[in-house]
Amino acid sequence: MVKYSLREFTRKHGSMDIDRNQKALRRLRTACERAKRMLSSTTETTIEVDSLHKGIDFCITITRSRFEELNKDLVKKCIEAVDKCLQDAKMDKSSVDDIVLVGGSTRIPKVQKMLCEFFKGKELCQSINPDEAVAYGAAIHASILSGGTDDTRLVDMLLRDITPLSLGIQVKPECTMSVVIPRNTAIPTKNTVKSYSTDSDNQTIVEIMVFKGESMSTKNNNLLGKFLLSGIRPAPRGVPRIDVTFNIDANGVLNVSAEDKGTGQKNSITITNRSGRLNKEEIEHMALKAERHRMKQTRIAGAV
């Protein structure tokens, strides 16, 4: 809406470098936010700012249909996110009991309409204020953790965290990532993979490199840490058997250990949430990048 308003201002008054006026942009953004909220309950409203730029008043009329056209790609992304969420959880639409709207933008009629269509006409749950839904959940979880509640309804509630990206180790010589814990696995969790070995004859030391990401190539993933496993008995490549175990506790702390089954030699590394882990924006960027690569490879395979 801000971009649309700027185009309208420029169309009416010519190029006046309004996009460099940060104060004007802030005021315009506030007016657009107000108009967006109004369009959830009415079909037409105005975006109006007195003396927006160089003393020029700005006022345009915007309809709900125009608003929906301007934001159709963003609404489409919302539905794609819901679909991806169900796929990751291996759930079918029919298994969803309630669709709870969270966040003020879920009041937008177009968003609600597309959600209803996506879930084949299922009624949306609107008994919870979407601006307060997350706070309600946080309060419930805090009550459970503190153990200071007499409300028996909370006893069976459980908040489960997941791994946002796959975790694994680098496998040479291709430098590919061997996944040990797949993305969206509920934590705490533990998994041991027993298929690793040496890649050179008479190799007595292997380097265990721990990565996080969705790409098959480790160069596109995030290195969390590495350690050496030594004392392996010399043998032809592929003969020694090395078990690698990933263990994530309830606090999200990752412990990676490796053991040479022939000699019993072991080593490990502990990776906390603060040591080399990605923030939310980096996780989303990496997942999006991997998804685009996957879609590109699918198109190439289809063309062949």
Side-chain angles (χ1 to χ4, degrees), residues 273-286:
N273 288 322
R274 294 175 295 277
S275 57
R277 306 297 279 271
L278 301 175
N279 60 36
K280 180 181 178 182
E281 289 73 20
E282 291 171 325
I283 289 171
E284 291 175 349
H285 175 73
M286 186 171 285

Side-chain angles (χ1 to χ4, degrees), residues 129-145:
N129 186 332
D131 295 320
E132 301 173 350
V134 173
Y136 278 136
I140 290 172
H141 188 54
S143 179
I144 294 172
L145 291 177

Side-chain angles (χ1 to χ4, degrees), residues 196-252:
Y196 301 118
S197 186
T198 54
D199 57 11
S200 301
D201 292 339
N202 300 317
Q203 185 175 344
T204 59
I205 300 175
V206 296
E207 184 177 38
I208 308 296
M209 302 181 69
V210 184
F211 284 87
K212 183 176 193 176
E214 297 305 309
S215 175
M216 292 184 62
S217 174
T218 53
K219 70 178 182 179
N220 298 321
N221 293 334
N222 185 51
L223 176 64
L224 297 180
K226 55 186 176 180
F227 63 94
L228 297 176
L229 176 63
S230 59
I232 301 172
R233 186 177 296 115
R237 66 175 184 173
V239 172
R241 176 184 157 190
I242 300 172
D243 293 358
V244 175
T245 300
F246 277 45
N247 187 358
I248 307 179
D249 66 18
N251 295 316

